[in-house]
Amino acid sequence: MNPRIAFPFLVIPKDSIRPEGWLIGDPGKPLHRATDVLENWDYARDLEVANSISIDWAAVAGALQLPEDKLRLKVSLIVGTGAGTLPRRQDRLHAVIVDHATDNFLMSGSVSGRTLSGRLRVSLLVTLDAPEASGTVLSPQDRGSKLWQADHDILIEDGGDSRFPVETASFSRIFGGRPHEHAPWYLHWRPSSLQGDFSAGVRLYVNSDHPEWLARVVSGDRLSLQAMMGDVMSQMIEAALREVSGAEDFVDCNEGSVGQQILQWLGNAFPGQEVASVRALMERDPGAFRASLLATSDMGSAD
């Protein structure tokens, strides 16, 4: 079903602005045609997106009932990302002001891989820059009035399943003088909302000041990853169990949320058990509780 939107002013017909098609790839390298899925991507990989645009100024001016020689448009390239239907984060990568002297131009920009998760939504947005308070009673009158938009959704990370957000960092540089400066890893998160986006609110930092440890993580050393992920699961599950009263507290946790991920871990480690009984085990026998989480954090060999 086509959406029907009643604007309070005239807008640009769809075919009066023609994008050639989205291109995507590594920054500084030849880009390729974007499809609906971007595979073989990881958080260390930044992306560049681009689209060439041509504008039929006579058709645009006629549709808006504004003088072509006075008409100026602002064109913006916006990217959004997140696992859900609505992007959890949006960035304006490129914006230009164009007039009738420019009928073909390139919009492009780079986005950091560390900000991406789940999906990449690329958008071209055209708004009025000038003339203001001109034309007919139906013409757009205000700078910033939205006149045209085109979007494209790209599923990333091998089909959209979010990988755990991990990045390397020098702890002596970012945590210098703090108690965890020499720790091999640090989980950054705030146990405030189970409904929050997991990729946005959780990040695991691996200390690059320890080359031997970093090499183990990068090579996928089984026991090293198991120990690290077991600790991550313990931290998050224990914090959640102290806050919730039962499974009903996870009802509003959508796909990609902190609560949904914790619930999945609980199901894997303690299948068939009620939240209250898992919490009782945590308080009665924390050794057995954490060993159970360690057992399920075994991700197997990287070979």
Side-chain angles (χ1 to χ4, degrees):
M1 181 176 66
N2 293 325
R4 294 180 179 275
I5 301 174
F7 288 93
F9 46 77
L10 298 170
V11 297
I12 299 173
K14 179 180 178 181
D15 296 338
S16 298
I17 297 179
R18 294 182 292 275
E20 290 187 5
W22 288 104
L23 301 175
I24 193 169
D26 298 315
K29 297 182 179 179
L31 306 182
H32 56 82
R33 184 72 66 178
T35 63
D36 293 338
V37 179
L38 177 65
E39 297 181 339
N40 302 317
W41 176 87
D42 60 62
Y43 284 97
R45 181 186 176 192
D46 299 337
L47 293 174
E48 182 175 353
V49 293
N51 206 332
S52 293
I53 302 166
S54 59
I55 297 179
D56 183 342
W57 285 97
V60 169
L64 300 179
Q65 298 180 11
L66 291 171
E68 181 178 345
D69 60 338
K70 305 292 185 184
L71 181 59
R72 291 203 310 267
L73 301 175
K74 180 178 181 179
V75 184
S76 301
L77 168 58
I78 299 170
V79 299
T81 189
T85 304
L86 296 176
R88 63 168 173 77
R89 174 193 175 112
Q90 289 196 108
D91 294 292
R92 190 184 303 269
L93 299 185
H94 189 189
V96 294
I97 305 296
V98 293
D99 60 20
H100 66 284
T102 305
D103 57 6
N104 190 284
F105 53 97
L106 176 69
M107 299 292 293
S108 65
S110 297
V111 57
S112 171
R114 68 178 60 183
T115 67
L116 297 175
S117 66
R119 298 163 56 227
L120 177 66
R121 177 171 177 164
V122 286
S123 302
L124 290 170
L125 174 65
V126 176
T127 56
L128 181 70
D129 186 70
E132 297 180 78
S134 183
T136 71
V137 293
L138 294 178
S139 300
Q141 302 287 316
D142 301 319
R143 178 179 295 179
S145 297
K146 179 180 174 181
L147 304 177
W148 184 93
Q149 183 167 356
D151 306 304
H152 182 66
D153 274 319
I154 301 170
L155 198 62
I156 60 177
E157 299 182 340
D158 299 329
D161 293 330
S162 295
R163 296 174 181 171
F164 202 97
V166 181
E167 64 180 271
T168 61
S170 169
F171 282 23
S172 62
R173 183 174 59 83
I174 62 175
F175 302 129
R178 301 175 66 179
H180 53 286
E181 175 183 350
H182 302 293
W185 68 80
Y186 165 66
L187 180 68
H188 174 76
W189 77 296
R190 296 290 182 268
S192 57
S193 174
L194 295 175
Q195 290 76 33
D197 185 277
F198 186 88
S199 297
V202 180
R203 194 155 298 269
L204 179 63
Y205 292 95
V206 178
N207 194 346
S208 61
D209 296 332
H210 298 309
E212 182 180 352
W213 165 249
L214 181 60
R216 290 184 184 182
V217 174
V218 173
S219 66
D221 179 73
R222 181 173 181 171
L223 290 177
S224 298
L225 295 181
Q226 183 176 6
M228 186 168 63
M229 287 307 301
D231 176 66
V232 168
M233 293 166 64
S234 293
Q235 287 190 49
M236 300 189 69
I237 290 176
E238 289 173 26
L241 290 179
R242 295 189 187 98
E243 298 294 328
V244 303
S245 56
E248 63 274 11
D249 292 308
F250 293 92
V251 170
D252 294 330
C253 297
N254 297 320
E255 181 180 357
S257 68
V258 171
Q260 193 261 358
Q261 180 61 68
I262 290 175
L263 199 60
Q264 180 179 330
W265 285 337
L266 281 171
N268 293 338
F270 308 100
Q273 295 192 42
E274 299 290 338
V275 169
S277 67
V278 176
R279 181 170 50 242
L281 174 64
M282 178 184 72
E283 295 170 346
R284 183 182 69 254
D285 191 348
F289 171 81
R290 292 196 176 187
S292 299
L293 295 178
L294 274 171
T296 56
S297 65
D298 182 6
M299 293 180 286
S301 172
D303 298 331

